[in-house]
């Protein structure tokens, strides 16, 4: 007898997805077609931070996080040595306002991003936005991957653009 995949995996929804929220008490991920917004609470374990970043990288290697850093000119090359890609820079009163892309296909850059997040979590919650080209099937892949990798991971809410199509 032939195995039948669950309907949600084989047939895209008839309504346009607005957002897909998943996570657990210490981390929350909201996916849309152009962006993934991640909230890490102060109590998020190091391993969970890593698994979320690696999960995104696994599903979409072209994903990027954009960060703006004000630093002395000489430090720009230090960030580039960590795998960050310089997008723009301009002189400002405190040094240089530099914009970098952190590509999720660069393991060195991803590791440095994880270290930065963990450092910030010592004093406060942390939010990051990741830009990607994910579609409905990629969102489902990410959700399933994180459910397999992280204890207590669950789908929280799914919103569709058409009224009356909200699932919990």
């Amino acid at each position: 007898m032939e195995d039948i995949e669950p309907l949600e995996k084989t047939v895209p929804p008839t309504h346009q997805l607005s957002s897909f929220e998943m996570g657990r008490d210490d981390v929350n991920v909201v996916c849309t077609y152009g962006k993934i917004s991640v909230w890490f609470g102060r109590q998020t374990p190091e391993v969970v931070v890593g698994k979320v970043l690696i999960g995104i990288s696994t599903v979409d290697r072209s994903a990027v996080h954009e960060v703006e850093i004000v630093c002395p000119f000489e430090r720009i090359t230090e960030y580039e040595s960590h795998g960050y890609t310089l997008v723009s820079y301009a002189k400002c009163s405190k040094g240089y306002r530099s914009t970098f892309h952190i590509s999720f296909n660069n393991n060195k850059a991803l590791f440095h991003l994880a270290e930065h997040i963990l450092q910030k979590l010592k004093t406060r919650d942390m939010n990051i936005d990741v830009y990607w080209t994910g579609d409905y099937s990629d969102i489902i892949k990410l959700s399933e991957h994180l459910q397999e990798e992280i204890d207590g991971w669950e789908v929280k809410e799914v919103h569709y653009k058409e009224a009356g199509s909200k699932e919990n």
Side-chain angles (χ1 to χ4, degrees), residues 55-96:
I56 295 168
S57 174
T58 300
V59 173
D60 186 357
R61 302 279 294 162
S62 68
V64 296
H65 170 61
E66 186 173 280
V67 64
E68 187 174 278
I69 301 169
V70 175
C71 63
F73 184 79
E74 302 78 34
R75 297 234 13 236
I76 292 173
T77 56
E78 181 182 326
Y79 286 102
E80 289 177 313
S81 73
H82 291 300
Y84 290 25
T85 302
L86 181 64
V87 176
S88 67
Y89 67 95
K91 183 119 175 84
C92 67
S93 62
K94 296 180 181 179
Y96 284 82

Side-chain angles (χ1 to χ4, degrees), residues 23-41:
R24 53 188 225 172
D25 290 344
D26 54 358
V27 62
N28 198 59
V29 176
V30 178
C31 295
T32 62
Y33 290 138
K35 182 170 82 171
I36 302 170
S37 296
V38 184
W39 170 82
F40 294 105

